[in-house]
Amino acid sequence: MKNKTRSAARPSGASAVRDAEKTIALLPELIKQDKFGVVNIQRALNCDVLTAMNIYHALLTDGDAMSVEKNFFELNGKDKILYLKRLISDRFASGECMTEEMSERAERELISIEHGNMADTFLFAHSVAGILREMTDKPRFVGIGCCSVVAYLIGITGEAPDPIGRGLIFERGFGGSVCPETPFSFYVPENELAMLEKKVQKSFADARLEKQGDELILSAAGAHVGILDSMLSLHRICDHAERSVYSSGHAVFQEDYMHLLHYVGGDSYEEADRIRRAIGKRKYDEIEEYRIGFMRGAASVLPPAESGRLFTEIVAELGGAYCKAYVLSAKAVLDAHFPSRCAASPLS
């Protein structure tokens, strides 16, 4: 009986080897036709996701360094994070952004991205950003997502500001490990919309570009990015912010006040973002509780009267301040498409 069992198992094993050999032989042509992705390779060869990624990249025959597999939505949560890590390590391997601070912050962000189930959003935005770069090299990214080091490293935000160099705060956009409604948006002129949708559908067959309320949304398998087909809103937000800089002469960005809450009051950035939201929604009972905590945390550097006065000023100013991440990304796009306006800008 045992011999029969072993004998019956041999054809099955041999068959699996033949199937794998056939799969390997077909891979280059299937990949060239966009009919095969990392998940398929992983299943066919019964290998781990990183091995499948290496095989996929090695077999691309047209020289196109495609960075997102055609069916990444099928990966499990951990493998999606692994893929993000691989994209980041490729950027570091190229010799760019190789700082300890950048690496440590990326690791912290990846934990939040995994806990908040945000990997699909990041990977889809990464794919769309790559397609848009094929269409033009001008900056297109606009959104609070440029506060993310991960988004910066994997090319979503392109030429948007270096988040560490400009003092941007990940928790401002993704506080509490929660993905905001539309953290990633791209400027695409109306005459390019059809071309973009067609190109994205080559990678994601169910991709759709449609109006949702006042927004244009490009989505696939539940993930989505915003599409701006007009620059009017960007002109408006930057003009308002610039006038505020000219008239105030002091910090006007929400992130600046969040840094004060963190460094003076000892609040974590997640806590600082909760305070920001409470101030914005005028939740006065919560604000008074936060005042007590701030004064207690600042006791080692400021007397009570001074820390109380500082918190009152933060409450008064933060509610009318602008999101630095959004304004700077909008300015990068405007400066690229309308270079004549940037010479007099106080936001440079």
Side-chain angles (χ1 to χ4, degrees), residues 71-339:
N71 48 2
F72 70 76
F73 286 121
E74 295 183 35
L75 294 170
N76 63 42
K78 289 195 177 297
D79 282 345
K80 288 172 186 172
I81 295 299
L82 272 176
Y83 190 76
L84 285 173
K85 287 183 177 179
R86 179 58 181 269
L87 292 173
I88 292 169
S89 66
D90 286 348
R91 178 73 181 272
F92 284 136
S94 71
E96 297 181 77
C97 308
M98 293 182 63
T99 68
E100 189 175 343
E101 184 179 11
M102 191 75 78
S103 177
E104 289 177 355
R105 180 157 155 183
E107 284 293 330
R108 292 197 302 271
E109 287 186 15
L110 284 168
I111 292 170
S112 294
I113 290 167
E114 184 174 14
H115 288 170
N117 295 315
M118 304 179 223
D120 281 354
T121 299
F122 275 75
L123 286 171
F124 183 56
H126 166 74
S127 184
V128 173
I131 291 168
L132 286 169
R133 276 195 296 274
E134 293 171 3
M135 294 167 61
T136 178
D137 59 357
K138 284 188 177 181
R140 293 179 181 264
F141 178 79
V142 178
I144 60 174
C146 73
C147 67
S148 167
V149 161
V150 170
Y152 178 69
L153 290 174
I154 69 175
I156 295 175
T157 56
E159 298 303 313
D162 164 8
I164 291 179
R166 298 308 293 264
L168 305 183
I169 301 168
F170 180 72
E171 290 79 2
R172 167 60 186 86
F174 303 87
S177 301
V178 174
C179 192
E181 189 77 19
T182 311
F184 304 120
S185 294
F186 302 92
Y187 168 66
V188 183
E190 190 175 356
N191 63 341
E192 295 181 4
L193 292 176
M195 185 194 307
L196 171 64
E197 185 175 25
K198 185 177 180 181
K199 284 179 173 289
V200 174
Q201 284 173 344
K202 284 186 177 180
S203 295
F204 309 98
D206 66 335
R208 293 292 179 271
L209 181 63
E210 54 192 359
K211 198 84 170 176
Q212 293 184 13
D214 294 331
E215 286 188 286
L216 262 180
I217 300 293
L218 179 62
S219 58
H224 64 271
V225 297
I227 300 295
L228 305 171
D229 59 351
S230 168
M231 287 203 179
L232 288 176
S233 62
L234 306 190
H235 279 291
R236 192 178 302 117
I237 189 71
C238 285
D239 287 346
H240 288 171
E242 287 170 357
R243 283 199 296 271
S244 181
V245 172
Y246 277 127
S247 63
S248 67
H250 60 83
V252 294
F253 294 115
Q254 295 170 357
E255 289 88 338
D256 296 317
Y257 296 110
M258 289 175 67
H259 284 305
L260 274 175
L261 292 167
H262 175 70
Y263 286 109
V264 178
D267 295 300
S268 68
Y269 281 120
E270 284 195 357
E271 186 74 0
D273 194 51
R274 283 192 283 271
I275 296 171
R276 178 192 64 79
R277 292 198 301 270
I279 292 171
K281 295 177 181 178
R282 295 181 172 84
K283 295 183 176 181
Y284 296 111
D285 290 343
E286 288 185 26
I287 291 171
E288 286 309 305
E289 289 181 17
Y290 288 132
R291 177 192 297 276
I292 295 168
F294 177 81
M295 292 174 66
R296 186 182 298 122
S300 61
V301 292
L302 289 174
E306 289 300 319
S307 62
R309 190 161 31 248
L310 177 58
F311 190 83
T312 298
E313 183 177 340
I314 291 172
V315 171
E317 299 290 344
L318 199 154
Y322 294 91
C323 173
K324 189 176 187 180
Y326 189 90
V327 171
L328 291 183
S329 64
K331 181 182 180 299
V333 172
L334 286 175
D335 288 353
H337 293 267
F338 299 94

Side-chain angles (χ1 to χ4, degrees), residues 24-88:
I24 291 170
L26 290 172
L27 280 178
E29 186 58 32
L30 290 171
I31 289 175
K32 190 175 181 180
Q33 297 173 22
D34 288 344
K35 293 180 179 178
F36 219 77
V38 169
V39 173
N40 307 96
I41 295 171
Q42 191 181 4
R43 288 172 180 163
L45 304 183
N46 193 27
C47 61
D48 62 84
V49 68
L50 291 181
T51 300
M53 289 174 196
N54 286 331
I55 293 171
Y56 182 68
H57 287 293
L59 291 172
L60 286 174
T61 56
D62 58 0
D64 176 20
M66 185 158 49
S67 54
V68 173
E69 66 278 11
K70 299 299 180 185
N71 48 2
F72 70 76
F73 286 121
E74 295 183 35
L75 294 170
N76 63 42
K78 289 195 177 297
D79 282 345
K80 288 172 186 172
I81 295 299
L82 272 176
Y83 190 76
L84 285 173
K85 287 183 177 179
R86 179 58 181 269
L87 292 173
I88 292 169

